[in-house]
Amino acid sequence: MEQRELELVEGTVSVVIYQNEDNGYTILKLDVRDEEVTVVGTMPGVAPGEYLSVRGRWTRHPTYGVQLKAQVVERRLPQGLKEIFHYLSSGAVKGIGKATARLVIEEFGEEALTVIEDDPDQLTKIRGISPKRARQIGEAFRQQMGTRRLVEFLTEHQLPLELAALLHRAYGDVALEVVRANPYLLVNEEFRVEFSQADGLALALGVGHEDPLRLEAGLLFEMAHNNLNNGHTFLPRRKLVEATGVLLEVPCQMLEDCLTTLLDRGEAELERIAGQEAVYLPALHDAEAFIAQRLGEMSASRLLPPDGLDRLIDRIQREQRITYAPQQRQAVELAAERQVMLLTGGPGTGKTTCLRGVLDLFDRMGLETALAAPTGRAAKRLGELCGTEASTIHRLLETGFDPHSGRLVFAKNSYAPLQADAVIVDETSMVDVPLMAALLDALEGDCRLVLVGDPDQLPSVGPGNLFADLIRSKVVPTVRLTEIFRQAAQSAIVRSAHLVNRGELPDLRANDSDFFFLSRRDPQSVLDTVVDLCRRRLPERMGIPADQIQVLSPTRRRGTGTRALNQVLQQALNPPREDKGERRFGDWVFRAGDKVMQVRNNYDILWREEGGTSSGMGMFNGDIGVIRSIQGEIITVDFDGKVVEYTPDMLGELEPAFAVTVHKAQGSEYRAVILAALEGAPMLMTRGVLYTAITRARELFIIVGDQGTVAQMVANDRQTRRYSGLRARLAEGSWTRNE
Ligand SMILES: Nc1ncnc2c1ncn2[C@@H]1O[C@H](COP(=O)(O)OP(=O)(O)OP(=O)(O)O)[C@@H](O)[C@H]1O
């Protein structure tokens, strides 16, 4: 409709002034009758000699003058001798220069492009073109045509043009045919197109409403979506079929038949588990079954404790200058004689102290021990507390990314196991089923494993309810620490966390030394107070600088969600200034000096050490950094000394982090935490969210909001149910059947 208001300009490309290969942004000159017009816009792969129909708007650039900003571009290949010659002699086809272009036109005339694409051997008729070079020219042209058709296809169906490069990388020259044959593959992890969009494309390409291709894609999507977004490892058969029925608007019986086909083909697994007819994606089924089997076996094995274990533990206590509480001593003893154990407890119950004792014991037993945690920040803290190196589980397993499958690959696995006699994992509540399966796969047969964590923290983002399932199965040897140590008990943060966990409201009037409640009833006064705390009160009165304060909210949206908080905090803490670069992305303007967060695991990102020569790959969900500079299209971010350059196509992975959701703060600790607690969807206003927020604070925790909201959160112990078969597999001893 809008297109009618746009100007239409048609002509031949005379010269391409600039072209960005990543996003296709192009500046070119177009011959329009006797005039030359400058056109700018997204036109990937456009070359001189091509004929373009451009619809767009005229703009005036301060330096370059009048330009047409292209919005819709239709391209057709050069026609007629003049256009074809122009095109070939421009260097658009690799292997053909000006002189060769002339000879090709003399020999084949208007058929030149058809010959090059379909029958390049004929090019050998031209003096100087060997059969090898002829084939290379044909190949280069076909490749260009392939990309070009792909781009046209994506444009026509309003799909992001960045997909062209990804699809070409995955399927080479036949990418377009592959997508046409099955548009649903665009939903896969490596392409990330919305299901509704892929479905719309499929229907537009003539796939029937009830075509098995569509039904199968719907079922597989429903499973993958629930694994990723809702943390389920399986779906009950009926739920899966009904939900897919709603998604696709087709009758359930039809989907039942289709599910049978998927099961027959091994693309889904069906098993009766935990009283359910559970349908799994095969990878998750195998991961869950493997964890149950491996941990089941490890739990059954008993090891000979070292001679004089008691004396050893006494010596460790003396060196640590503490006396273990009975539960702690029991934990260290258990670690000596069992191959796997769980160590759990709330804040201040001495988990870390105990973990250090176990590490020391393993050391004295001559065991090489690896320390690991699920996030970079948790690993850093663990390393500092233990005075030794700790890494993320991903790094321990030397995780890489396979661009062809879009999946993770672990260089450490059963064929190349970890060179460790023992592995200790902290913050295990954040570990999901696929990662635990990968870790277990990389352990030597007799390697010990100690899993430490707090089961009342929010569960992992990824599928499974791993840590809580392991504890509740009662199969894995477990020590639960319950005593809060005096030192920790002096902290109102620790006391309040335990109260909340028991469903009791902490005393909000006490305004103790490190736990404060500021009553605010409307969103604007919450925002004002949070800003004032960060900008003035905490830095001036408590000596805590703004960059050591983390603002949290249970929700993204609404008046006190992270979106609104980020707007006001950016304005207050990092206002615009002439020398600060800026770049808009969606509804956010990134500015040099902004605090930002990487919001996806990306194993492909290259970082280099600030001021140093070392570099490495990979940034992880939850990593927080500061924008150092914005120059042109490049945003440079410093993540604690690791410097990363973000190009425009990567900006979807970067979010402002003056305020983040409680879910995103999992596994991180901050000197001071401010929680905005006023409003949010009931599924977000839970006890687990409040508990996790409180336990993120080391020195100071402040709630800004409404007492009634806090009370509701304490009372709301609803845990979103996750379908998972791990507990049942362990408890039923189903792993023994495989022995
Ligand atoms: N046996 C003990 N005797 C005296 N103090 C202890 C003992 N064990 C732990 N503590 C002290 O209790 C406090 C909390 O211990 P620790 O940090 O190990 O707990 P945690 O469970 O890891 O807590 P968090 O989850 O909050 O990190 C620390 O100050 C520690 O020194």
Side-chain angles (χ1 to χ4, degrees), residues 486-506:
R486 189 148 38 91
Q487 212 170 331
Q490 282 164 4
S491 149
I493 294 176
V494 171
R495 284 202 312 276
S496 308
H498 283 273
L499 282 173
V500 167
N501 204 21
R502 289 203 297 269
E504 294 172 39
L505 188 66

Side-chain angles (χ1 to χ4, degrees), residues 171-232:
Y171 305 111
D173 293 349
V174 291
L176 184 55
E177 284 75 32
V178 175
V179 176
R180 276 182 181 284
N182 181 7
Y184 293 103
L185 58 83
L186 293 175
V187 179
N188 291 355
E189 258 170 87
E190 66 263 50
F191 309 121
R192 297 177 190 220
V193 171
E194 295 280 333
F195 182 83
S196 57
Q197 212 175 356
D199 193 34
L201 173 64
L203 294 170
L205 290 177
V207 172
H209 192 73
E210 293 167 4
D211 191 312
L213 183 72
R214 180 166 189 261
L215 306 188
E216 286 172 17
L219 286 165
L220 292 172
F221 165 74
E222 199 60 51
M223 280 193 266
H225 172 79
N226 273 286
N227 299 153
L228 283 178
N229 296 337
N230 301 327
H232 304 306

